[in-house]
Amino acid sequence: MAKKVTIQVLADLAQERDEKFHGHNPLAPGHRMCIGCGIPPIVNEVLLAIDKPTVVSTATGCLEVTTGVYPYTAWNTPWIHVNFQSAAAAIGGVEAAYKVLKKKGLINEDIAFVAFGGDGGTYDIGFQSLSAAVERGHDFLYVCYNNEGYQNTGYQKSSATPIGAYTKTTPVGKEKIGKQEPRKDLTMIMAAHGIPYVAQASPHIYRDLTRKVKKAMTFKGPKFINTLQPCTLSWRFAPEDTMRLAKLAVETRYWPVYEVINGKYWKVNVKPKRPKPIEEYIEAQPRWRHVLKYPEIVAQIQKEIDDKWNHLLALEEMSKALAEKEGIDYEALFANPEDKKGEE
Amino acid sequence: MSTKVIALTGNQAAAEAMRQINFDVAAVYPISPQTELMGFFAEYVANGEVDTDMVAVEGEHSAMAACIGAAAAGARVITASAGPGIAYMVENLYIASGMRLPIVLIDVNRALSAPLSIHCDHGDSMLTRDSGWISLFSENAQEAYHNLIMSVKIAEKAMFPVIVNYDGYIVSHSIENVEIFDDETVREFVGPSGIHRIPYPLLDVSKPVTYGATAQPDYYTECKYQQHVDFLKVYDIVREVFNEFESISGKRYDFIEEYMTEDAEYIGISMGSSFGTLKDAVNTLRAQGRKVGAIKIRLYRPFPVKELAQALSKAKGIAVLDRADSFDGIGGPLFKDVCTAILHNQNRSLVHNFIYGLGGREIHEEEFIKAFDRVERLEKGVETRDNLVEYLQVRA
Ligand SMILES: Cc1ncc(C[n+]2csc(CCOP(=O)(O)OP(=O)(O)O)c2C)c(N)n1
Ligand code: SF4
């Protein structure tokens, strides 16, 4: 059964690719990302899952500097990069223009809007413009490819960098072992904006990520998806291990995969029956491996993970109860939009 | 064409122009003395008098980012700010001009911190002078209104963004008689909206385009060179639009405005609202039989080098009146511009710089007369100078 769905999704994506991108990927070959980088599959999965022409904006970072190198472009879709901190504000402007021009009858197409930002351009410098664009209710999807650091500038810490991790600005020394503070939980913060759709995803479960994008696009208004993106270069693992790393992050519950509707209803999509210990995930990444020598830091990381996990489960239970009280079908709320289409 | 004369503040006049132009998108963020401009405009939006989508952003940096996105999409866009708001936008100003987007920005001139001041000087505008934006200065509400209407056309013909400057409070909040066109005249002059006003709109999804690429050393220079070459074409475009504007309004505008310069030996140069005061000073001195004149810079960027060099070719002494300081020992920004412009004049005029009107300090006729006196005495060798730049108004 599961297999059949997989093939169906892939077939859909292939068809999308033919129709929308004339047989190419939205992000064409010829970009300059590192071998094994998690960004290209994320961008392609996201854009292929949207069945409309799509205008994309991007924050400065690896994605931008590797895809739009003048006089070439890897973008097979209209694309704009303003700067590091303006991906959301810029797409907001595009969407505002679209609304007016459509109202005036100067444009007829149905167009979708997507912004991509790294964790730096999303959690840190771009957070203000993201939060505001979302508050203003622009109709767009923001996707954060989260590699837990500023990779484009050579791996410095961001507020998504986990505690203990080595970066160029959080080195490992006698006094300080890597980053001192735990990661910021941006997905929760975005959910707190009460926008129609917020999710956390991982590119190795492409079925889940593409479903989430499709689901997100059924809502009008701002949508946010935070996806983990293993960075081969800075995390320092072999290029063929990208998806294995992502998988480990989910299996250790380090990166819970879940979705939130209207900041109110929560659903955890993957619940590892026998979660792996965090050591396994840490061990796989030289940037972080040194913390294994400090059991107290590992314990702190594990505690953070457990606490967040329990919190998520509690939110899920709570929203099930809430839906019941409100007479809302909880499962239908999260149903795959494709299934819904079939019913109609 | 019909016109009517109504008493308006500068901000009201600008809001009226915005209503008549009917911009597609306006990014809005409050800052004194611009705040009430967008307040007036918001009422037009709320009453459905315009089609504009007002994007009330969380700061000026995003205001310009939203304008860039909307302009690249193919919409006609505007934002307005002042002082610190302009400073906060600067990164994006360079992006807007680098992408060659026809955006209009109103700068209701305001001083920069510290100390904090909400009042007028041109420090904010000087932050934009090397950003590749076309920059127009307005002396009063009437000019602000006219400049705004012309700016749309200039921007779209030149494919460069335009800043319309007018002095905070002095122009923005003072009431004067303004002659307003009927709506049709303005709409006809600026022409209809539409995504194909620019060659490569983002919203033309059938032809995907890339805006905001990275350029390595192998191409950055070429991109900037093209920008440079095209920016020099702005002179002709501005002149063309000034001519078109004259044909609808009967009002003749030039890059600079000359007042009694024909036979003038000493010429004062200023921008913005102080020009009236400068003309008063000229009148007073002329009445005493002194050969003085005044020049107002209307087109500040690109700088009217030729026109200014010509107008100053016979002057013995020039007083450049800067409403902003550069703190660099060379003089205010306008001073440097003027010196550069007259570099190749055969006649070597003496040029001296005066800083005035900072942070809203009122400027009086007597102070400009003082500047003329000083320049004349310097030129005649009666007095000497230690510096090229002096403050005109400092309490002892
Ligand atoms: C205003 C500003 N400050 C700093 C930079 C330098 N900068 C460019 S990309 C970047 C880091 C990007 O990190 P992230 O958003 O996580 O994306 P990634 O590089 O990981 O793809 C930095 C610091 C910049 N471009 N603009
Ligand atoms: S540095 Fe990391 S995020 Fe950047 S392109 Fe390479 S693998 Fe991808």
Side-chain angles (χ1 to χ4, degrees):
Chain A
M1 183 64 199
K3 245 185 200 148
K4 205 174 138 207
V5 174
T6 307
I7 290 163
Q8 186 51 45
V9 170
L10 280 177
D12 282 356
L13 292 183
Q15 192 189 336
E16 216 87 78
R17 183 161 70 180
D18 282 346
E19 282 173 11
K20 213 174 118 183
F21 300 99
H22 312 290
H24 299 291
N25 273 335
L27 197 56
H31 62 72
R32 305 172 188 203
M33 270 169 268
C34 306
I35 304 168
C37 177
I39 301 175
I42 291 171
V43 173
N44 281 323
E45 284 171 27
V46 167
L47 294 179
L48 285 173
I50 300 172
D51 59 3
K52 285 182 202 173
T54 308
V55 180
V56 172
S57 95
T58 301
T60 314
C62 283
L63 174 58
E64 182 268 326
V65 302
T66 55
T67 52
V69 186
Y70 189 88
Y72 305 106
T73 181
W75 291 94
N76 217 342
T77 194
W79 178 82
I80 183 165
H81 156 253
V82 173
N83 62 25
F84 195 13
Q85 55 274 41
S86 300
I91 204 74
V94 178
E95 189 260 357
Y98 170 70
K99 265 194 315 216
V100 178
L101 296 172
K102 199 157 192 196
K103 200 175 80 188
K104 286 183 171 178
L106 296 168
I107 183 166
N108 306 311
E109 270 105 341
D110 221 0
I111 300 176
F113 302 94
V114 176
F116 289 101
D119 47 293
T122 308
Y123 282 61
D124 295 343
I125 197 167
F127 178 60
Q128 169 179 317
S129 80
L130 169 62
S131 174
V134 150
E135 185 267 339
R136 287 195 300 273
H138 293 290
D139 188 18
F140 76 116
L141 166 67
Y142 191 105
V143 178
C144 173
Y145 63 90
N146 181 354
N147 50 35
E148 305 192 322
Y150 299 168
Q151 311 308 357
N152 180 47
T153 36
Y155 193 32
Q156 294 79 21
K157 80 126 215 182
S158 81
S159 54
T161 308
I163 196 161
Y166 163 89
T167 73
K168 296 275 170 62
T169 45
T170 58
V172 178
K174 280 202 202 92
E175 294 289 328
K176 288 182 176 172
I177 313 300
K179 194 192 178 215
Q180 301 292 291
E181 309 80 14
R183 342 168 238 174
K184 185 195 273 185
D185 194 338
L186 188 68
T187 314
M188 285 288 187
I189 298 169
M190 293 314 291
H193 284 69
I195 54 176
Y197 189 80
V198 168
Q200 220 164 256
S202 169
H204 80 285
I205 332 174
Y206 60 86
R207 250 201 297 152
D208 179 70
L209 175 57
T210 52
R211 183 190 65 79
K212 279 176 174 158
V213 173
K214 283 178 193 292
K215 181 85 196 171
M217 299 320 273
T218 63
F219 296 96
K220 203 168 156 43
K223 286 82 67 171
F224 175 83
I225 296 177
N226 195 349
T227 158
L228 191 70
Q229 181 253 311
C231 164
T232 46
L233 195 75
S234 305
W235 298 15
R236 294 202 277 130
F237 56 84
E240 62 270 26
D241 283 344
T242 312
M243 295 304 167
R244 191 174 73 85
L245 260 288
K247 188 158 177 269
L248 264 177
V250 175
E251 286 171 346
T252 54
R253 295 173 178 165
Y254 173 83
W255 190 254
V257 166
Y258 64 95
E259 57 196 319
V260 191
I261 292 177
N262 292 332
K264 216 168 143 188
Y265 309 102
W266 302 68
K267 184 176 175 114
V268 182
N269 309 105
V270 178
K271 292 177 183 158
K273 285 215 182 62
R274 272 181 300 276
K276 293 185 168 164
I278 191 60
E279 282 88 341
E280 248 183 76
Y281 180 55
I282 295 174
E283 169 66 33
Q285 315 167 38
R287 65 157 179 163
W288 209 10
R289 198 147 57 194
H290 54 267
V291 304
L292 295 177
K293 285 185 285 189
Y294 304 91
E296 65 288 358
I297 302 182
V298 177
Q300 198 182 341
I301 295 166
Q302 188 65 60
K303 185 172 179 327
E304 178 207 312
I305 291 168
D306 294 343
D307 285 354
K308 292 243 180 233
W309 184 260
N310 292 332
H311 185 207
L312 272 179
L313 293 185
L315 286 167
E316 186 182 62
E317 282 316 305
M318 212 176 69
S319 47
K320 272 184 193 159
L322 181 69
E324 198 177 322
K325 218 166 85 185
E326 294 175 334
I328 290 170
D329 182 346
Y330 175 85
E331 289 304 330
L333 205 58
F334 289 98
N336 189 342
E338 311 276 84
D339 298 347
K340 263 200 202 146
K341 239 193 255 167
E343 277 166 25
E344 279 161 7
Chain B
M1 183 210 39
S2 69
T3 59
K4 60 179 181 221
V5 176
I6 26 179
L8 295 174
T9 65
N11 278 343
Q12 282 170 330
E16 179 66 1
M18 284 175 66
R19 183 189 65 73
Q20 295 180 315
I21 293 162
N22 191 18
F23 285 94
D24 297 315
V25 175
V28 182
Y29 196 75
I31 185 167
S32 296
Q34 175 275 119
T35 313
E36 57 154 41
L37 161 65
M38 287 303 192
F40 293 132
F41 186 67
E43 306 241 341
Y44 298 142
V45 176
N47 290 326
E49 293 176 60
V50 285
D51 301 304
T52 314
D53 191 84
M54 212 162 115
V55 188
V57 288
E58 83 294 352
E60 294 81 354
H61 190 283
S62 288
M64 190 44 62
C67 284
I68 292 168
R76 193 172 258 163
V77 301
I78 185 162
T79 188
S81 195
I86 299 288
Y88 191 31
M89 254 183 214
V90 164
E91 178 189 11
N92 286 346
L93 294 184
Y94 281 78
I95 294 169
S97 60
M99 286 187 190
R100 316 285 293 271
L101 295 171
I103 298 165
V104 177
L105 163 65
I106 299 176
D107 181 354
V108 186
N109 298 116
R110 165 178 165 169
L112 296 168
S113 303
L116 189 143
S117 163
I118 61 169
H119 295 278
C120 170
D121 67 37
H122 295 161
D124 56 358
S125 195
M126 293 308 139
L127 284 174
T128 71
R129 73 187 192 276
D130 300 332
S131 65
W133 283 59
I134 299 164
S135 181
L136 295 165
F137 271 79
S138 329
E139 183 182 336
N140 47 39
Q142 183 71 66
E143 283 194 11
Y145 174 77
H146 285 169
N147 278 343
L148 196 45
I149 293 167
M150 289 188 284
S151 69
V152 177
K153 209 159 191 173
I154 293 171
E156 289 171 11
K157 282 191 181 207
M159 289 303 289
F160 278 112
V162 178
I163 299 173
V164 173
N165 297 274
Y166 58 85
D167 285 354
Y169 293 108
I170 304 164
V171 173
S172 68
H173 285 65
S174 310
I175 296 184
E176 43 180 303
N177 278 347
V178 183
E179 189 180 30
I180 300 291
F181 303 118
D182 58 278
D183 293 1
E184 287 67 44
T185 302
V186 176
R187 295 210 171 149
E188 215 170 278
F189 181 75
V190 298
S193 193
I195 62 169
H196 287 287
R197 284 175 313 102
I198 63 166
Y200 303 104
L202 272 181
L203 288 178
D204 183 353
V205 288
S206 63
K207 297 192 192 80
V209 285
T210 287
Y211 272 90
T214 297
Q216 299 297 342
D218 55 351
Y219 276 106
Y220 189 85
T221 304
E222 280 68 24
C223 293
K224 289 294 130 182
Y225 177 72
Q226 287 173 12
Q227 190 176 336
H228 175 102
V229 169
D230 286 351
F231 204 66
L232 297 182
K233 295 178 188 158
V234 167
Y235 292 117
D236 289 343
I237 290 163
V238 173
R239 189 163 282 127
E240 199 178 298
V241 174
F242 278 0
N243 288 341
E244 287 171 30
F245 189 74
E246 187 184 8
S247 68
I248 65 153
S249 67
K251 174 87 192 158
R252 168 94 223 138
Y253 280 126
D254 284 305
F255 299 171
I256 58 172
E257 183 175 322
E258 297 183 55
Y259 186 70
M260 299 207 174
T261 48
E262 194 79 328
D263 61 339
E265 294 176 342
Y266 302 97
I267 296 176
I269 304 175
S270 84
M271 304 201 290
S273 64
S274 68
F275 192 62
T277 312
L278 187 58
K279 284 197 291 191
D280 286 346
V282 167
N283 290 342
T284 303
L285 293 175
R286 282 273 171 182
Q288 297 167 10
R290 288 168 62 185
K291 288 188 174 171
V292 293
I295 291 175
K296 173 172 82 183
I297 309 288
R298 178 174 288 111
L299 175 70
Y300 181 58
R301 283 292 182 271
F303 199 67
V305 178
K306 285 184 196 143
E307 292 70 17
L308 205 59
Q310 171 63 32
L312 295 170
S313 58
K314 290 189 212 102
K316 289 185 179 166
I318 302 164
V320 182
L321 301 155
D322 255 294
R323 201 164 194 148
D325 195 353
S326 295
F327 316 104
D328 56 8
I330 323 175
L334 182 58
F335 177 71
K336 294 175 190 119
D337 293 330
V338 172
C339 291
T340 309
I342 60 168
L343 192 64
H344 297 296
N345 278 359
Q346 292 296 322
N347 160 44
R348 284 227 146 207
S349 318
L350 178 129
V351 201
H352 199 59
N353 190 201
F354 300 93
I355 309 282
Y356 77 98
L358 298 189
R361 176 67 58 86
E362 223 179 301
I363 182 78
H364 300 107
E365 196 190 321
E366 306 84 73
E367 287 155 341
F368 281 159
I369 289 175
K370 241 174 24 189
F372 276 114
D373 288 342
R374 173 84 169 131
V375 166
E376 188 171 343
R377 285 201 293 269
L378 283 174
E379 196 268 327
K380 291 193 165 133
V382 182
E383 286 176 8
T384 55
R385 59 180 172 187
D386 295 328
N387 296 307
L388 296 170
V389 51
E390 287 167 13
Y391 271 58
L392 203 51
Q393 309 170 295
V394 205
R395 275 195 305 275

